[in-house]
Structure formats: C-alpha cells, structure tokens
C-alpha cells in the first residue's frame, strides 16, 4: 500500500472504527494492570506447590508460543467460519493501518489498532482459559491449573508489550532494546503485504516460525542489523 493510500486508510479507520468514547489509557490499564492483577490473584491461590507441578510453567509458555503462531498464521490471516471478526480486525485492519513502510502509530488513540480489544481478550480467556482450568484441576491439581493460566496471561502480556514496541516510533527507548529491536525487524517484514501470509507469524519469540520453517529476515533487516551493531544503534 502506497503512503497516500495508507494515510487515507488511517484517517478512515480513526473516523469509522475507533469509537468516539475510546480511551487509550483505559485500554492500556485494562490490558496491563488487569493482566498483572489476574496473575497475582491466580498465584494467590497456590498452596504448597510440589517441584513437579512447576513443570507446567515451561509447558504452558511453549503451548502459548505455538498458540500465538497458529492463531496468527490461520484465523488471523485466513477467513474461518465463526472467526471472521478476528480475520477482519487483523488482516483487514491492523495490516492496512500498519504497513512495512509505515510501522509506528501517530497518536495515542491509534492503540485501538494495536492492542487486543477487551471483548476479544475476555472471550479468549473465558472461552479457553476457564475450561482449561477445570480440565487441569480435574486431571492433575488446582496448583497446576492456576500456574498454567497465570503463565498464559504472563505470555499474553509479554506479547502485548513486544507488539506495542514494534509499532512505537523507531527512536523510542523501548523500540531500541536489543532483543526487541531485532524482533521488530521480523514483525515489520511480516507487515509487508507480499510476506504477511507466508512468514514471521510469531509476534514474540520466533520459536514456532523456526520449527515450521516460516522464519524469514528481509534483506533490509539483515543490512540494517549488520550496519549498526546493537550497542551503537541510533
Ligand atoms: Zn503488527
Ligand atoms: Zn499478521
């Protein structure tokens, strides 16, 4: 999408899709303060965790990484019956609002196009998290169920921080942190319309992409990362 078309889409999106009463600080607060509070409340439920029960934490983080990969690769980039809203919001809006040539947001209200809407978050954690809690509590233990859920929310918060950082202006301190700066290039390449249905579906750590052969660094990224070592990055 050319710059002028992208600017037109951004204006149109702001007028039609961002509700007049949209409050970006509230959205940030719901996501990060709400998420952290949920984690604290879940960890509060733990009682005398056995050494083996902790193993659910790496397992849940790995599961979350693959869920991020497959969720992004399929329903977010291909229309599936019943999941049309997710496809429209991601492929139809997020990718048109942010192109590989124009990744940063311009104003705080644009966060509406970056962070997951509270309704979708509630749907995901309510629809998948609650049944998962009951299954794990029934099959293993309450501790394992709480730890798995808390790990899922932690991973989700990590995902939101990283994704937000990829869409910050390039000179922002968070966008310049070594690991984020490298991962940002992968996500920017994913925002290229020619690459978005093919590569870089992990938004946080590219484990799924590595496992399934869809990890790709653009020539521009390779050149930029080689030209400016992290320690001297602008
Ligand atoms: Zn993005
Ligand atoms: Zn995408």
């Amino acid at each position: 999408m050319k710059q002028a078309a992208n600017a037109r889409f951004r204006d149109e999106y702001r007028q039609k899709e961002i509700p007049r009463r949209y409050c970006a600080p509230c959205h940030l607060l719901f996501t990060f303060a709400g998420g952290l509070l949920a984690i604290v409340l879940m960890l509060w439920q733990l009682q005398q965790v056995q050494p083996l029960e902790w193993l659910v934490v790496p397992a849940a983080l790995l599961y979350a990484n693959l869920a991020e990969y497959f969720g992004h690769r399929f329903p977010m980039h291909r229309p599936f019956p019943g999941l049309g809203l997710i496809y429209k919001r991601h492929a139809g809006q997020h990718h048109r609002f942010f192109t590989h040539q124009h990744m940063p947001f311009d104003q705080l209200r644009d966060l509406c196009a970056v962070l997951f809407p509270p309704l979708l978050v509630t749907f995901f954690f309510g629809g998948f998290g609650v049944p998962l809690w009951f299954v794990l509590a029934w099959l293993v233990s309450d501790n394992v169920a709480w730890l798995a859920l808390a790990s899922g929310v932690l991973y989700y918060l990590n995902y939101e921080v990283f994704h937000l950082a990829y869409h910050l202006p390039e000179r922002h301190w968070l966008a310049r942190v070594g690991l984020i700066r490298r991962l940002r290039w992968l996500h920017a390449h994913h925002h290229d319309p020619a690459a978005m249905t093919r590569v870089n579906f992990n938004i946080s750590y590219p484990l799924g992409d590595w496992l399934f052969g869809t990890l790709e660094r653009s020539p521009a990224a390779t050149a930029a990362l080689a030209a400016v070592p992290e320690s001297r990055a602008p």
Side-chain angles (χ1 to χ4, degrees), residues 3 11 35 75 88 91 99 109 129 149 155 159 173 202 209 225:
Q3 291 287 18
D11 282 343
K88 178 189 161 203
T99 69
R109 285 175 64 77
L149 242 61
Y155 191 94
Y159 154 88
W173 68 268
N202 274 122
D209 279 310
L225 289 168

Side-chain angles (χ1 to χ4, degrees), residues 22-51:
Y22 176 70
C23 160
C26 307
H27 200 174
L28 281 169
L29 208 68
F30 171 85
T31 305
F32 295 107
L36 285 174
L37 182 68
I39 292 175
V40 169
L41 290 176
M42 288 182 214
L43 296 183
W44 201 271
Q45 312 301 319
L46 298 176
Q47 285 173 358
Q48 295 170 332
V49 182
Q50 300 303 302

Side-chain angles (χ1 to χ4, degrees), residues 72 77 90 95 190:
H72 187 189
H77 278 288
H90 186 76
H95 272 272
H190 171 74

Side-chain angles (χ1 to χ4, degrees), residues 5-88:
N6 175 246
R8 244 192 336 269
F9 181 82
R10 286 188 173 209
D11 282 343
E12 217 177 274
Y13 181 89
R14 287 177 190 128
Q15 280 169 22
K16 291 188 188 155
E17 301 291 337
I18 304 182
R20 202 178 287 223
R21 62 182 195 289
Y22 176 70
C23 160
C26 307
H27 200 174
L28 281 169
L29 208 68
F30 171 85
T31 305
F32 295 107
L36 285 174
L37 182 68
I39 292 175
V40 169
L41 290 176
M42 288 182 214
L43 296 183
W44 201 271
Q45 312 301 319
L46 298 176
Q47 285 173 358
Q48 295 170 332
V49 182
Q50 300 303 302
L52 274 181
E53 288 180 320
W54 289 108
L55 286 180
V56 75
V57 174
L61 294 176
L62 178 67
Y63 178 83
N65 185 279
L66 296 180
E68 170 191 273
Y69 178 83
F70 285 111
H72 187 189
R73 182 169 180 178
F74 296 108
M76 285 175 145
H77 278 288
R78 295 189 209 299
F80 278 87
L83 299 174
L85 181 66
I86 296 170
Y87 175 71
K88 178 189 161 203

Side-chain angles (χ1 to χ4, degrees), residues 27-186:
H27 200 174
L28 281 169
L29 208 68
F30 171 85
T31 305
F32 295 107
L36 285 174
L37 182 68
I39 292 175
V40 169
L41 290 176
M42 288 182 214
L43 296 183
W44 201 271
Q45 312 301 319
L46 298 176
Q47 285 173 358
Q48 295 170 332
V49 182
Q50 300 303 302
L52 274 181
E53 288 180 320
W54 289 108
L55 286 180
V56 75
V57 174
L61 294 176
L62 178 67
Y63 178 83
N65 185 279
L66 296 180
E68 170 191 273
Y69 178 83
F70 285 111
H72 187 189
R73 182 169 180 178
F74 296 108
M76 285 175 145
H77 278 288
R78 295 189 209 299
F80 278 87
L83 299 174
L85 181 66
I86 296 170
Y87 175 71
K88 178 189 161 203
R89 205 189 127 74
H90 186 76
Q93 295 177 339
H94 180 72
H95 272 272
R96 292 179 73 196
F97 197 100
F98 301 103
T99 69
H100 62 305
Q101 291 155 328
H102 193 186
M103 285 290 280
F105 55 84
D106 304 315
Q107 43 184 279
L108 206 55
R109 285 175 64 77
D110 293 348
L111 282 184
C112 187
V114 181
L115 298 171
F116 258 78
L119 201 67
L120 269 186
V121 176
T122 312
F123 166 76
F124 272 124
F125 280 98
F128 296 103
V130 174
L132 181 73
W133 187 93
F134 280 105
V135 169
L136 287 176
W138 179 58
L139 284 178
V140 196
S141 68
D142 284 12
N143 279 343
V144 163
W146 288 122
L147 281 171
L149 242 61
S151 306
V153 178
L154 182 71
Y155 191 94
Y156 165 68
L157 293 187
N158 186 161
Y159 154 88
E160 287 288 31
V161 170
F162 279 22
H163 193 216
L164 185 63
Y166 304 156
H167 291 291
L168 280 171
E170 212 172 319
R171 301 196 68 81
H172 192 281
W173 68 268
L174 186 57
R176 290 157 59 193
V177 171
L179 175 67
I180 291 182
R181 182 170 164 264
R182 291 181 159 269
L183 296 175
R184 197 179 143 97
W185 278 105
L186 294 178

